[in-house]
């Protein structure tokens, strides 16, 4: 009798956990991104059958359930094209629970890619690893209106949910939220489904963050420097490391650092600048930087020096953004070396 009570208690706690998780989720109800998924949107090598079909159905269902996406089967009116699919399988042991039963720890790897419908440029890509552990092996498990039964299917559904969770939180998708829910897709031409470029930044405006960077460098205000970039080049551990390594001699040398700007060209989403930086002792070096207020590149608002971390999919998929981000790292590493401080990496 006591054993039965314990088992019932475990099931009740499990059910309460599921209910609590469902209650904590609130569906987004604002503007949507129109994504063309086509009739065959496989990506990765395993396509259109068995577990891969479960992954595709689960991903499609999760996209629509999120509220952020209107999935269409025709390209007209779409702002984004999607490719996604299973890229591999594996195992990760097993797990058994009283009453609930046992699951074989299966894993499924998948990938997702979004391209701009007009330019064809890759604007977002991501990967996931889904796991079957955590789902009962008894009967079917439902993901929206998609039922999954095998451990591979459960892992595929888990992977799809992880991809959608990260996608809907990304700044990239937010720039394509142009469709009013409930209105016909073709009511707005394709041109309006593409985000409007940010107003052009002139050289005078673009020079201001560079001038602030010079002031922060002179005082070794590394935390203040972070606020000048579109994403942080310094994490908290690195800031502590740099501050610990600095001395009065370092501060004296830093006061000699100078940055000067020469006009570059307007590249639409950002303004290019030539920046000459003078190191302690008078040595001059040159680097090209960019300043942007475009929301797709700069989630902080205002005008910031363009820098994307190595983990940002926009950087890895766009050579120009990768090059400009590397230029920031070159500038900061040169200054660190000249001042006798640890490097950026």
């Amino acid at each position: 009798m006591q054993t039965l009570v314990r088992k019932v208690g475990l099931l009740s706690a499990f059910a309460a956990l599921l209910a609590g998780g469902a209650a904590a989720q609130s569906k987004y109800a604002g503007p949507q991104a129109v994504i063309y998924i086509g009739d065959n949107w496989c990506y990765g090598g395993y396509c259109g059958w068995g577990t891969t079909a479960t992954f595709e159905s689960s991903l499609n269902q999760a996209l629509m359930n999120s509220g952020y996406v209107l999935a269409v089967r025709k390209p007209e009116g779409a702002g984004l094209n999607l490719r996604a699919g299973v890229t591999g399988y594996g195992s990760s042991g097993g797990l058994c629970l009283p009453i609930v039963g046992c699951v074989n720890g299966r894993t499924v790897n998948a990938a997702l890619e979004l391209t701009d419908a007009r330019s064809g440029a890759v604007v977002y890509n991501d990967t996931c690893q889904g796991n079957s552990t955590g789902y009962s092996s008894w009967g079917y498990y439902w993901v929206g209106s998609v039922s999954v039964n095998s451990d591979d299917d459960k892992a595929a559904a888990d992977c799809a949910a992880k991809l959608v969770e990260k996608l809907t939180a990304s700044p990239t998708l937010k720039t394509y939220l142009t469709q009013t829910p409930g209105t016909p897709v073709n009511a707005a031409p394709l041109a309006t489904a593409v985000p409007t470029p940010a107003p052009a930044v002139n050289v005078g405006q673009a020079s201001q963050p560079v001038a602030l960077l010079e002031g922060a460098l002179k005082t070794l205000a590394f935390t203040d420097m972070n606020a000048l970039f579109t994403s942080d080049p310094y994490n908290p551990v690195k800031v502590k490391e740099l501050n610990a390594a600095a001395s009065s001699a370092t501060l004296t040398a830093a006061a000699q650092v100078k940055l000067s700007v020469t006009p570059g060209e307007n590249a639409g989403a950002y303004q290019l600048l030539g920046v000459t930086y003078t190191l302690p002792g008078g040595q001059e070096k040159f680097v090209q930087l960019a300043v942007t207020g475009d929301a797709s590149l700069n989630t902080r608002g205002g005008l910031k020096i363009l820098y994307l971390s190595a983990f940002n999919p926009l950087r890895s998929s766009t050579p120009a953004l990768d090059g400009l981000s590397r230029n920031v790292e070159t500038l900061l590493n040169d200054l660190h070396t000249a001042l006798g401080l640890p490097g950026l990496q």
Side-chain angles (χ1 to χ4, degrees):
M1 183 66 180
Q2 291 178 346
T3 301
L4 178 60
V5 170
R6 283 197 299 269
K7 289 181 177 179
V8 172
L10 283 170
L11 288 176
S12 298
F14 184 65
L17 179 62
L18 291 179
Q25 296 176 350
S26 57
K27 185 174 179 179
Y28 168 82
Q32 296 176 308
V34 182
I35 298 183
Y36 169 57
I37 64 173
D39 293 321
N40 181 11
W41 45 288
C42 173
Y43 175 68
Y46 300 88
C47 308
W49 52 270
T51 299
T52 61
T54 300
F55 168 79
E56 294 174 1
S57 298
S58 299
L59 183 61
N60 189 26
Q61 189 69 48
L63 286 169
M64 293 188 293
N65 286 349
S66 73
Y68 283 89
V69 170
L70 177 61
V72 295
R73 292 289 189 181
K74 294 182 179 180
E76 292 79 17
L80 292 166
N81 297 327
L82 180 147
R83 291 200 308 157
V86 173
T87 58
Y89 299 85
S91 62
S92 60
L95 174 69
C96 293
L97 295 172
I99 295 294
V100 174
C102 298
V103 289
N104 298 317
R106 294 289 293 167
T107 62
V108 167
N109 297 314
L112 177 149
E113 178 183 277
L114 290 174
T115 56
D116 186 283
R118 294 192 69 192
S119 69
V122 176
V123 296
Y124 182 88
N125 54 54
D126 197 8
T127 59
C128 67
Q129 182 178 86
N131 302 286
S132 63
T133 53
Y135 302 113
S136 170
S137 62
W138 287 20
Y140 286 85
Y141 177 76
W142 290 85
V143 180
S145 60
V146 180
S147 65
V148 296
N149 188 26
S150 74
D151 293 317
D152 281 337
D153 281 357
K154 293 165 188 172
D158 183 48
C159 203
K162 290 175 180 177
L163 281 173
V164 172
E165 182 180 2
K166 288 195 285 185
L167 173 63
T168 54
S170 73
T172 301
L173 184 66
K174 289 178 172 56
T175 64
Y176 289 86
L177 299 178
T178 59
Q179 174 76 20
T180 302
T183 60
V185 174
N186 292 330
L190 178 59
T192 63
V194 176
T196 304
V201 179
N202 62 45
V203 175
Q205 293 171 319
S207 299
Q208 295 173 12
V210 178
L212 293 173
L213 176 62
E214 180 183 11
L217 286 166
K218 288 178 181 293
T219 57
L220 303 183
F222 301 109
T223 303
D224 291 346
M225 286 184 216
N226 273 346
L228 301 174
F229 296 97
T230 57
S231 65
D232 294 346
Y234 302 111
N235 59 45
V237 174
K238 176 59 67 175
V239 171
K240 291 181 180 179
E241 183 184 7
L242 292 168
N243 287 333
S247 64
S248 57
T250 308
L251 195 60
T252 300
Q256 302 172 34
V257 171
K258 295 180 181 178
L259 303 180
S260 61
V261 173
T262 54
E265 59 180 308
N266 186 277
Y270 48 81
Q271 175 73 44
L272 291 170
L273 297 173
V275 177
T276 300
Y277 52 105
T278 305
L279 301 173
Q283 182 185 14
E284 288 188 350
K285 291 195 171 186
F286 178 85
V287 71
Q288 188 177 59
L289 301 182
V291 172
T292 184
D294 190 292
S296 64
L297 299 173
N298 174 22
T299 59
R300 292 181 161 179
L303 295 178
K304 307 294 181 188
I305 299 170
L306 179 59
Y307 175 73
L308 303 178
S309 76
F311 301 103
N312 191 314
L314 275 177
R315 173 170 172 174
S316 60
S317 63
T318 312
L321 300 181
D322 179 59
L324 290 167
S325 297
R326 288 180 184 273
N327 288 351
V328 169
E329 293 165 353
T330 297
L331 165 67
L332 295 178
N333 279 322
D334 281 349
L335 289 164
H336 290 173
T337 300
L339 299 175
L341 297 174
L344 183 62
Q345 303 302 325

